[in-house]
Amino acid sequence: MLPLPMQTNHVGYPLIRIENLCKSYSLQDVNGRTITNQVLFNIDLTINQGEFVAIMGHSGSGKSTLMNILGCLDTPTSGSYWLSEKNVATLTNDELARIRNQKIGFVFQGFNLLKRVTALDNVATPLLYAGVGRSQSRKQAAEILRRTGLENFAMHQPNQLSGGQQQRVAISRALINQPPLILADEPTGNLDTQTSREIMLLFQQLNQDQGITIVLVTHEDDIAAYAKRLIRLKDGHIIYDKNNNTETILDKVS
Amino acid sequence: MNLFTIIGEALRALRQNRLRTGLTMLGMIIGVAAVVLMLSIGQGAQTKINQTIAEMGSNLFIVVPGATSSGGFSFGSGSIRTLTIHDAQAIAELPTVGATAPIISGTAQLNYTAKNWSTIITGTTPDYFSVGNWKIESGTTFTESDLRSANRVVVLGSVTAQNLFGGEDPVGKTIRITNRPFLVVGVLMAKGQSLTGRDQDDNIFIPITTSERQITGNQFPGSIRLMLVQCKSADDMDIAEIEITQLLRQRHRIAKGKENDFTVRNLTALADVATGAAKVMSMVLGAIASVSLLVGGIGIMNIMLVSVTERTREIGIRMAIGANQRTILTQFLLEAMMICIMGGLIGLLLGISGAWVVSQVADMLIVITLGMIGLAFLFASAVGIFFGFYPAKKAASLKPVDALRYE
Ligand SMILES: Nc1ncnc2c1ncn2[C@@H]1O[C@H](COP(=O)(O)OP(=O)(O)O)[C@@H](O)[C@H]1O
Ligand SMILES: [Mg+2]
């Protein structure tokens, strides 16, 4: 169990609200003509605070594209996205950077740790960007690493850690600013079954004990099983959105 | 992120890639060192020329026998003997002229005790020392009465004195010049090289009368090799030149339309040419050095661009965890500037040491001013900001998702 301070969460409050969201990419074909490739079609989605959602779908179905938009790393072609009731389209680059820093913790399939930077400094970096001094940041980072069981690896660089340890460092980094939302794009994609289980238990714990909202992308059913809500994407459309416990298929949001 | 933390991040990034940092810095080091070295050599040459000109005496004409040849002028090619001591005396009477110094010269063998020395001997008048801006180290110059009586007295140049006497004081001693005894009455202060690079201190001076009658001899009595004419003021130089020319034509009975049998040269004008040349030289040196600094700057831009491309993913990660554009921009700009400033400092030290070595080895005057150091340093920082900005801007304006997806 992670003894992080309990956050005041209002479960049921909409944290993410997406309406009629579309995303297309423009590409040049071999003849130099511009072709438009639409990846997301009229997505409507609401995720409340405290939820644990798994987004599933085959490769190329648009999961990562959706996650990047949710994480304010990318912008939709059309449609609206409200994060904590703020219309993301109206925010400046600086405000978006602040939201990524304060409100969102990212966990990636490829870990995305800073190379040749110790686990401790990797975890401390978001605090530096929040304006906290280096020594204070390191102190807090050391504390988080202790709680994720990595106190003996604080001075290790990413290439001196196992995949599972690297992902724990990434999760520690995602947690350091105590964000209400964690976005994890195939976090167990590069891990073995046992390590995947440990990581998923960690997510489950964070969701249950601290009420952190977790949105997770996976294409594996047994990983999705840890989530409370399952959303399936197919070719840029949500084909189902159901509660994991009840197994009832909800109406497709149109 | 506060500036202090960004500096830390930039320093760490530089440390992580020591070889690349070092190589980039090398461009800056060489550029700044070259600028400092070239400027100091140029400045040194200029200072040296100014010193030589100041020591040469001011408002000077040199008058030599013979017509102006098309290829310049020669210092009285031996056979032409049209100028005389009386010409010099007459010119001295002109209202614009302060003093004149007629000169005959030759070489002579000197002896003092067991020491031998061969040097240039100059026969002239006492005015020569003031006209030529010579200062006395010890003793006195010879006098008008020495001149009238053709006394055997001699004034030694500092190098000659050193060679004959070593540490001993020559004043009051007797030396032999071509086996005739002369009393040393004075020693001159050192002047160094002339504009043409001749050592002016290996020289001895005796009254022109003594020289003519006893030492150099004279095929045409009264004729001289050249004369120096000093004008009373710089403003009168043009008038004086005309007056001297007219007077000499008249004295030499040169018919209208016939060529002069003498040449008047304005030494101050020559000096100006030399000063101008030195200025141009230091500017050219500075320009060459600036090019190397510019090349160093382009090297930095090149490396920074490569670095931005190479670290695109890192930039994406930093953006994903909360870095804003200004922070990314500042970090990359600081990296470029730190390379420039550190390189600049090392280059400065290298340039100064190089200048010192050059001054020792080539026996050149090297002048390093604070302004020069400031200029090199300012230029280095400017190069850093200028060439660091574009890559930094490029890094900062990446869309986070594109940066993260970059392979
Ligand atoms: N930057 C891009 N430019 C063009 N097409 C893209 C880009 N990113 C993703 N796509 C396309 O969008 C589709 C969905 O990609 P993605 O969201 O990564 O799928 P998933 O994560 O579900 O595997 C794919 O067909 C992919 O080719
Ligand atoms: Mg994906």
Side-chain angles (χ1 to χ4, degrees):
Chain A
M1 158 151 184
L2 280 176
L4 283 175
M6 188 70 183
Q7 285 186 321
T8 50
N9 281 304
H10 315 277
V11 177
Y13 185 89
L15 184 63
I16 287 169
R17 195 148 60 81
I18 278 175
E19 275 176 18
N20 204 24
L21 184 134
C22 299
K23 177 72 184 178
S24 29
Y25 293 105
S26 295
L27 292 168
Q28 307 277 354
D29 72 3
V30 277
N31 303 317
R33 280 186 301 246
T34 305
I35 47 169
T36 312
N37 174 24
Q38 186 159 2
V39 177
L40 294 176
F41 296 85
N42 308 92
I43 304 285
D44 288 309
L45 177 65
T46 302
I47 295 173
N48 291 329
Q49 199 126 44
E51 284 201 82
F52 188 168
V53 183
I55 299 176
M56 305 180 66
H58 294 299
S59 179
S61 56
K63 307 179 298 290
S64 293
T65 305
L66 180 60
M67 282 295 262
N68 289 337
I69 293 172
L70 291 181
C72 302
L73 295 168
D74 203 356
T75 47
T77 310
S78 68
S80 323
Y81 171 27
W82 285 271
L83 180 65
S84 308
E85 295 300 303
K86 272 196 206 111
N87 185 349
V88 170
T90 64
L91 300 176
T92 64
N93 281 331
D94 275 8
E95 287 168 327
L96 290 174
R98 224 183 126 64
I99 282 182
R100 289 195 293 268
N101 184 240
Q102 297 287 316
K103 301 270 190 244
I104 303 171
F106 288 98
V107 181
F108 302 94
Q109 177 178 2
F111 318 130
N112 274 345
L113 296 173
L114 297 174
K115 279 181 217 158
R116 277 177 282 184
V117 173
T118 60
L120 185 73
D121 281 335
N122 258 296
V123 175
T125 308
L127 270 179
L128 298 180
Y129 287 126
V132 179
R134 192 176 288 275
S135 60
Q136 176 62 26
S137 301
R138 279 191 175 149
K139 227 159 76 188
Q140 277 177 249
E143 181 61 15
I144 297 247
L145 283 176
R146 198 176 62 74
R147 289 169 187 176
T148 45
L150 288 168
E151 66 255 65
N152 293 330
F153 300 95
M155 298 319 282
H156 287 226
Q157 296 183 357
N159 59 1
Q160 300 164 329
L161 294 171
S162 73
Q165 287 168 333
Q166 287 188 59
Q167 199 59 298
R168 276 173 187 274
V169 172
I171 294 171
S172 306
R173 181 179 68 184
L175 290 173
I176 193 138
N177 274 328
Q178 305 183 3
L181 173 64
I182 284 186
L183 299 175
D185 191 348
E186 309 209 31
T188 60
N190 288 2
L191 304 178
D192 61 66
T193 320
Q194 176 54 28
T195 317
S196 297
R197 221 179 88 80
E198 284 168 23
I199 295 291
M200 289 317 296
L201 285 172
L202 181 57
F203 279 128
Q204 211 166 41
Q205 215 174 51
L206 288 167
N207 175 253
Q208 274 167 13
D209 300 346
Q210 294 171 59
I212 297 176
T213 311
I214 293 175
V215 181
L216 174 110
V217 161
T218 184
H219 54 259
E220 295 169 72
D221 292 338
D222 51 338
I223 294 297
Y226 289 88
K228 293 180 196 156
R229 177 180 166 190
L230 304 177
I231 294 172
R232 183 168 281 275
L233 272 182
K234 190 175 187 233
D235 300 332
H237 299 273
I238 292 182
I239 56 164
Y240 72 69
D241 186 345
K242 67 173 186 182
N243 199 315
N244 193 21
N245 306 4
T246 59
E247 298 279 331
T248 41
I249 297 173
L250 301 176
D251 285 338
K252 184 191 155 197
V253 191
S254 50
Chain B
M1 194 184 250
N2 62 42
L3 191 65
F4 198 66
T5 321
I6 303 178
I7 291 174
E9 291 290 297
L11 269 176
R12 179 166 50 193
L14 292 179
R15 262 204 310 271
Q16 264 176 21
N17 223 321
R18 278 168 216 271
L19 183 65
R20 188 174 60 194
T21 305
L23 286 173
T24 319
M25 216 181 266
L26 201 61
M28 215 59 224
I29 292 171
I30 292 170
V32 170
V35 166
V36 170
L37 190 62
M38 295 297 163
L39 285 181
S40 64
I41 288 175
Q43 190 68 47
Q46 228 168 305
T47 308
K48 177 75 200 159
I49 283 173
N50 288 342
Q51 271 176 13
T52 308
I53 289 165
E55 280 171 359
M56 187 177 74
S58 47
N59 310 334
L60 286 189
F61 288 107
I62 183 164
V63 185
V64 292
T68 314
S69 60
S70 52
F73 74 108
S74 56
F75 281 88
S77 42
S79 58
I80 312 162
R81 292 295 185 193
T82 54
L83 281 181
T84 65
I85 293 175
H86 306 293
D87 286 335
Q89 284 163 349
I91 289 170
E93 300 302 315
L94 286 171
T96 50
V97 171
T100 60
I103 288 167
I104 58 179
S105 61
T107 52
Q109 187 67 33
L110 315 182
N111 300 93
Y112 175 69
T113 60
K115 290 202 189 87
N116 280 306
W117 190 250
S118 174
T119 188
I120 296 163
I121 181 163
T122 301
T124 187
T125 60
D127 279 344
Y128 174 79
F129 300 100
S130 65
V131 169
N133 201 21
W134 287 98
K135 293 180 184 65
I136 295 288
E137 174 86 46
S138 70
T140 60
T141 64
F142 52 79
T143 62
E144 288 293 334
S145 87
D146 289 327
L147 187 69
R148 273 193 302 276
S149 328
N151 288 339
R152 286 183 183 170
V153 287
V154 62
V155 174
L156 303 180
S158 62
V159 169
T160 315
Q162 179 63 33
N163 280 306
L164 277 182
F165 288 90
E168 223 181 314
D169 183 9
V171 177
K173 305 281 173 6
T174 300
I175 63 170
R176 299 182 80 82
I177 304 175
T178 51
N179 273 328
R180 291 182 179 82
F182 275 72
L183 177 69
V184 178
V185 292
V187 178
L188 298 175
M189 250 151 73
K191 248 188 180 185
Q193 292 183 348
S194 73
L195 277 181
T196 51
R198 189 173 54 81
D199 184 356
Q200 302 177 88
D201 299 320
D202 189 7
N203 211 336
I204 63 170
F205 303 88
I206 60 174
I208 192 167
T209 45
T210 319
S211 175
E212 194 180 66
R213 285 169 216 170
Q214 305 183 30
I215 302 295
T216 46
N218 209 332
Q219 223 179 324
F220 311 97
S223 74
I224 58 173
R225 199 174 174 86
L226 62 96
M227 75 171 101
L228 293 177
V229 179
Q230 186 164 45
C231 224
K232 278 185 181 146
S233 90
D235 301 334
D236 292 338
M237 293 289 278
D238 293 340
I239 306 168
E241 186 168 347
I242 296 165
E243 284 179 353
I244 293 165
T245 310
Q246 278 173 351
L247 182 65
L248 285 178
R249 281 182 75 88
Q250 197 183 322
R251 286 177 60 87
H252 297 184
R253 301 201 174 80
I254 298 168
K256 251 203 167 86
K258 280 267 171 63
E259 219 183 354
N260 292 340
D261 61 357
F262 58 89
T263 302
V264 180
R265 283 281 161 159
N266 185 335
L267 275 189
T268 312
L270 279 183
D272 286 348
V273 171
T275 317
K279 257 195 197 126
V280 169
M281 183 184 88
S282 52
M283 266 154 64
V284 168
L285 288 179
I288 291 169
S290 304
V291 168
S292 69
L293 202 53
L294 198 72
V295 170
I298 292 169
I300 287 173
M301 177 150 82
N302 194 3
I303 296 288
M304 292 310 290
L305 279 172
V306 170
S307 167
V308 165
T309 313
E310 204 180 270
R311 287 159 67 192
T312 303
R313 210 181 165 81
E314 179 198 323
I315 292 166
I317 296 170
R318 288 180 182 275
M319 285 173 161
I321 61 177
N324 59 26
Q325 295 187 339
R326 191 173 37 80
T327 307
I328 300 281
L329 183 87
T330 313
Q331 182 182 332
F332 277 83
L333 202 55
L334 275 175
E335 282 181 29
M337 281 183 67
M338 278 176 195
I339 287 177
C340 287
I341 290 175
M342 282 188 269
L345 274 177
I346 298 170
L348 206 62
L349 290 179
L350 208 70
I352 292 172
S353 332
W356 184 82
V357 170
V358 167
S359 75
Q360 296 300 305
V361 172
D363 195 23
M364 276 165 77
L365 182 71
I366 299 293
V367 175
I368 294 167
T369 65
L370 226 60
M372 232 180 255
I373 293 171
L375 190 79
F377 212 67
L378 216 78
F379 208 41
S381 318
V383 162
I385 294 172
F386 185 78
F387 289 111
F389 188 79
Y390 174 67
K393 185 80 196 158
K394 197 173 168 231
S397 49
L398 283 171
K399 211 171 165 191
V401 66
D402 294 332
L404 267 175
R405 207 175 355 230
Y406 187 86
E407 290 299 332

